[in-house]
Short mmCIF file of all heavy atoms in Angstrom, two decimals:
data_model
loop_
_atom_site.label_atom_id
_atom_site.label_comp_id
_atom_site.label_asym_id
_atom_site.label_seq_id
_atom_site.Cartn_x
_atom_site.Cartn_y
_atom_site.Cartn_z
N GLU A 723 25.37 -22.26 10.81
CA GLU A 723 26.34 -21.94 9.73
C GLU A 723 25.84 -22.43 8.36
O GLU A 723 25.40 -23.54 8.30
CB GLU A 723 27.70 -22.49 10.13
CG GLU A 723 28.83 -21.68 9.43
CD GLU A 723 30.23 -22.30 9.80
OE1 GLU A 723 30.34 -22.80 10.95
OE2 GLU A 723 31.08 -22.35 8.94
N LEU A 724 26.00 -21.57 7.41
CA LEU A 724 25.64 -22.01 6.07
C LEU A 724 26.68 -22.88 5.40
O LEU A 724 27.87 -22.72 5.71
CB LEU A 724 25.45 -20.81 5.20
CG LEU A 724 24.25 -19.87 5.32
CD1 LEU A 724 24.47 -18.58 4.53
CD2 LEU A 724 22.96 -20.68 4.94
N PRO A 725 26.36 -23.88 4.62
CA PRO A 725 27.34 -24.68 3.92
C PRO A 725 28.18 -23.69 3.14
O PRO A 725 27.64 -22.66 2.58
CB PRO A 725 26.51 -25.51 2.95
CG PRO A 725 25.13 -25.50 3.41
CD PRO A 725 24.94 -24.26 4.23
N SER A 726 29.48 -23.96 3.00
CA SER A 726 30.41 -22.93 2.41
C SER A 726 30.10 -22.80 0.86
O SER A 726 30.32 -21.71 0.30
CB SER A 726 31.81 -23.31 2.64
OG SER A 726 32.07 -24.55 2.12
N SER A 727 29.59 -23.79 0.27
CA SER A 727 29.29 -23.62 -1.16
C SER A 727 27.93 -24.04 -1.52
O SER A 727 27.18 -24.63 -0.61
CB SER A 727 30.29 -24.56 -2.02
OG SER A 727 29.95 -25.87 -1.80
N ARG A 728 27.49 -23.62 -2.72
CA ARG A 728 26.10 -23.79 -2.99
C ARG A 728 25.75 -25.26 -3.15
O ARG A 728 26.47 -26.13 -3.61
CB ARG A 728 25.80 -23.06 -4.33
CG ARG A 728 26.20 -23.89 -5.60
CD ARG A 728 25.82 -23.03 -6.78
NE ARG A 728 26.63 -21.78 -6.92
CZ ARG A 728 26.96 -21.26 -8.08
NH1 ARG A 728 26.73 -21.75 -9.18
NH2 ARG A 728 27.67 -20.11 -8.02
N PRO A 729 24.51 -25.63 -2.70
CA PRO A 729 24.03 -26.94 -2.76
C PRO A 729 23.92 -27.42 -4.22
O PRO A 729 23.82 -26.58 -5.08
CB PRO A 729 22.67 -26.89 -2.21
CG PRO A 729 22.54 -25.62 -1.44
CD PRO A 729 23.57 -24.70 -2.17
N ILE A 730 24.08 -28.66 -4.50
CA ILE A 730 24.13 -29.16 -5.86
C ILE A 730 22.79 -28.87 -6.63
O ILE A 730 22.73 -28.34 -7.72
CB ILE A 730 24.42 -30.62 -5.93
CG1 ILE A 730 25.80 -30.81 -5.21
CG2 ILE A 730 24.59 -31.11 -7.42
CD1 ILE A 730 25.81 -32.10 -4.32
N SER A 731 21.66 -29.29 -5.98
CA SER A 731 20.42 -29.01 -6.73
C SER A 731 19.60 -28.10 -5.86
O SER A 731 19.61 -28.18 -4.64
CB SER A 731 19.67 -30.29 -7.01
OG SER A 731 19.01 -30.67 -5.83
N LEU A 732 19.10 -27.18 -6.55
CA LEU A 732 18.22 -26.10 -5.82
C LEU A 732 16.78 -26.19 -6.22
O LEU A 732 16.29 -25.35 -6.92
CB LEU A 732 18.84 -24.75 -6.10
CG LEU A 732 20.20 -24.46 -5.47
CD1 LEU A 732 20.80 -23.14 -6.05
CD2 LEU A 732 20.09 -24.44 -3.99
N PHE A 733 16.16 -27.23 -5.86
CA PHE A 733 14.73 -27.27 -6.14
C PHE A 733 13.96 -27.20 -4.81
O PHE A 733 14.42 -27.60 -3.78
CB PHE A 733 14.37 -28.60 -6.88
CG PHE A 733 15.07 -28.65 -8.21
CD1 PHE A 733 15.74 -29.83 -8.63
CD2 PHE A 733 15.00 -27.50 -9.07
CE1 PHE A 733 16.28 -29.77 -9.92
CE2 PHE A 733 15.54 -27.58 -10.32
CZ PHE A 733 16.25 -28.73 -10.69
N PRO A 734 12.71 -26.73 -5.02
CA PRO A 734 11.98 -26.59 -3.69
C PRO A 734 11.75 -27.93 -3.01
O PRO A 734 11.71 -27.98 -1.77
CB PRO A 734 10.67 -26.04 -4.23
CG PRO A 734 10.55 -26.17 -5.63
CD PRO A 734 11.99 -26.25 -6.09
N TYR A 735 11.75 -28.99 -3.79
CA TYR A 735 11.39 -30.20 -3.13
C TYR A 735 12.66 -31.17 -3.43
O TYR A 735 13.21 -31.15 -4.58
CB TYR A 735 10.19 -30.91 -3.75
CG TYR A 735 9.04 -30.05 -3.65
CD1 TYR A 735 8.78 -29.11 -4.77
CD2 TYR A 735 8.21 -29.96 -2.63
CE1 TYR A 735 7.76 -28.24 -4.70
CE2 TYR A 735 7.08 -29.06 -2.51
CZ TYR A 735 6.87 -28.24 -3.63
OH TYR A 735 5.92 -27.37 -3.60
N ASN A 736 13.07 -31.93 -2.42
CA ASN A 736 14.25 -32.65 -2.57
C ASN A 736 14.07 -33.74 -3.58
O ASN A 736 13.04 -34.43 -3.59
CB ASN A 736 14.71 -33.31 -1.24
CG ASN A 736 15.11 -32.23 -0.32
OD1 ASN A 736 15.79 -31.35 -0.75
ND2 ASN A 736 14.89 -32.38 0.89
N SER A 737 15.01 -33.95 -4.44
CA SER A 737 14.88 -35.03 -5.39
C SER A 737 14.75 -36.32 -4.65
O SER A 737 14.07 -37.34 -5.17
CB SER A 737 16.03 -35.02 -6.35
OG SER A 737 17.23 -34.75 -5.73
#
Side-chain angles (χ1 to χ4, degrees):
E723 207 180 322
L724 285 172
S726 58
S727 67
R728 80 178 66 145
I730 305 137
S731 83
L732 289 171
F733 294 134
Y735 309 88
N736 291 323
S737 39

